[in-house]
Amino acid sequence: MKTTKLILASVFAILAFTGCSNDDSEQEKAIPTIDKIELGLGNNETATIGADFHFNAEITAADKIKDVQVKIVQKSTETYSKPWSHEITWTQYVDAKNATVHKHFDIPEDAAEGKYDFIIIVNDQNGTKLEVKKNLTIYKLENIPVNPVVSVFTVFINDAFMYRKGKFPDADAKYKNNDIFSSQVTLEGVKGDGIMYLLLINKNAKHNPESVDQIDFNKVIVYDVFEHKNMADAGQFSNIPWDGTKFLRETPKLTIGAAKDNNVPVQQDLIANKSWAAGDYTFLVLYKNTTYNINFSQSVDLPFSL
């Protein structure tokens, strides 16, 4: 009888230990991870109703990705003009171990202005999920602190128009060695402090920064850098400012094939960086309003023959 009791006790102990081990295994199951989250250009955590919104995240699955979701939901502590929420599920990353989720989508026209929780959910095929909550402020267009838009975007080749008003006057023109590159870019609707970079980027470099903070200076040629300070009212900002009578700054020049670019405070060595290479180039305007952390970008592809 005692022997039977001892055997039964041992069996129960083994079952109990096995059950605990299984529980521990379930609790210790790995979950996905996420990094380099960006909400809005320059990760400014703002969005505009009816406008394009930038989202980026680097995801690593514990096993394999099932899907990725984002939810924009109202905070219980805030007041809104109406109930509103938004949800998107992306399934194209299924079965991937790692994924860069780089998306642009419009904030719907029916959105309500205010402060929101932006929730990122990564569902793993092992049954786990990761949920990360970030802050997002959604503005009506008329209430954005600054709203940069281009009013002048002109590119010159040897002082003649290469690109103007969205068109190439000479469809056969191409930049070649020793040609002179110059440009005027004017933004409207800015105030406070801000900085603008005008860049040439060889398309083969596969570098596509969407904000000033993303520039890899080893992969770009800086045509111009210009900034504004302490603008009290929203107005115009140009790399070649005009006071109604005269230009207040000489137009910068850049010789195609030059040894140095126009970066400040230190010019880059374009020969050492092998910056001038065969292939077409993108001319990219990147502006960051440092007062309100608002970013802007616009570009045009330019033909080269090097």
Side-chain angles (χ1 to χ4, degrees):
M1 190 68 172
K2 289 182 179 180
T3 303
T4 303
K5 287 181 179 179
L6 286 171
I7 292 172
L8 288 174
S10 298
V11 170
F12 288 139
I14 291 169
L15 288 174
F17 177 80
T18 302
C20 290
S21 297
N22 288 339
D23 289 343
D24 291 343
S25 176
E26 290 296 323
Q27 291 174 2
E28 294 173 3
K29 186 178 287 187
I31 64 173
T33 61
I34 193 167
D35 192 21
K36 297 181 181 178
I37 298 172
E38 296 176 5
L39 304 185
L41 288 178
N43 196 26
N44 58 18
E45 298 187 343
T46 65
T48 305
I49 296 173
D52 176 78
F53 177 74
H54 162 88
F55 169 68
N56 187 88
E58 301 281 349
I59 292 171
T60 301
D63 180 16
K64 293 180 180 179
I65 296 172
K66 179 181 178 183
D67 59 42
V68 180
Q69 298 174 295
V70 295
K71 297 180 180 181
I72 305 174
V73 298
Q74 294 176 336
K75 295 177 178 284
S76 60
T77 55
E78 297 290 323
T79 302
Y80 305 87
S81 62
K82 61 181 178 182
W84 182 84
S85 63
H86 190 57
E87 180 177 335
I88 303 174
T89 300
W90 294 298
T91 58
Q92 64 264 47
Y93 306 105
V94 64
D95 294 334
K97 176 69 174 180
N98 303 286
T100 298
V101 183
H102 185 175
K103 294 292 183 181
H104 285 259
F105 57 89
D106 288 346
I107 300 298
E109 296 282 358
D110 64 346
E113 190 175 48
K115 296 179 180 179
Y116 285 79
D117 288 327
F118 189 98
I119 303 170
I120 308 161
I121 302 171
V122 182
N123 291 300
D124 200 293
Q125 291 184 23
N126 70 0
T128 66
K129 72 175 181 179
L130 174 71
E131 187 169 309
V132 177
K133 185 185 294 184
K134 306 284 284 185
N135 293 314
L136 179 68
T137 301
I138 297 179
Y139 290 101
K140 292 181 180 178
L141 181 60
E142 59 268 27
N143 293 334
I144 302 173
V146 293
N147 182 35
V149 294
V150 164
S151 59
V152 177
F153 190 5
T154 304
V155 181
F156 301 93
I157 178 172
N158 301 321
D159 294 326
F161 287 115
M162 165 63 92
Y163 178 79
R164 185 188 188 198
K165 296 182 178 179
K167 297 180 180 180
F168 293 89
D170 182 354
D172 296 324
K174 290 187 177 183
Y175 288 100
K176 54 187 182 298
N177 279 324
N178 298 317
D179 282 341
I180 303 300
F181 178 94
S182 57
S183 172
Q184 181 182 13
V185 176
T186 303
L187 303 180
E188 304 282 351
V190 303
K191 63 180 179 178
D193 298 349
I195 188 167
M196 178 166 63
Y197 282 86
L198 307 183
L199 309 171
L200 284 170
I201 307 176
N202 189 293
K203 298 183 78 171
N204 293 324
K206 301 186 185 306
H207 180 48
N208 303 296
E210 295 184 326
S211 66
V212 167
D213 296 336
Q214 292 180 350
I215 299 172
D216 181 344
F217 287 96
N218 292 317
K219 297 181 179 179
V220 305
I221 298 168
V222 179
Y223 160 68
D224 197 13
V225 186
F226 200 52
E227 59 184 326
H228 61 84
K229 295 282 189 182
N230 303 318
M231 287 179 62
D233 300 315
Q236 187 180 89
F237 167 59
S238 178
N239 72 316
I240 310 175
W242 171 260
D243 69 356
T245 304
K246 61 184 183 301
F247 289 110
L248 304 178
R249 183 184 187 227
E250 186 175 345
T251 302
K253 307 288 186 181
L254 179 66
T255 301
I256 304 301
K260 302 283 187 178
D261 69 3
N262 295 333
N263 195 25
V264 291
V266 180
Q267 292 177 289
Q268 297 188 109
D269 188 335
L270 302 181
I271 305 303
N273 290 348
K274 299 180 180 179
S275 300
W276 299 112
D280 291 336
Y281 282 70
T282 296
F283 179 55
L284 176 62
V285 178
L286 290 177
Y287 167 80
K288 179 176 183 178
N289 189 286
T290 52
T291 301
Y292 299 99
N293 195 23
I294 298 293
N295 289 268
F296 170 86
S297 67
Q298 189 162 319
S299 66
V300 61
D301 291 338
L302 299 176
F304 273 66
S305 179
L306 298 180

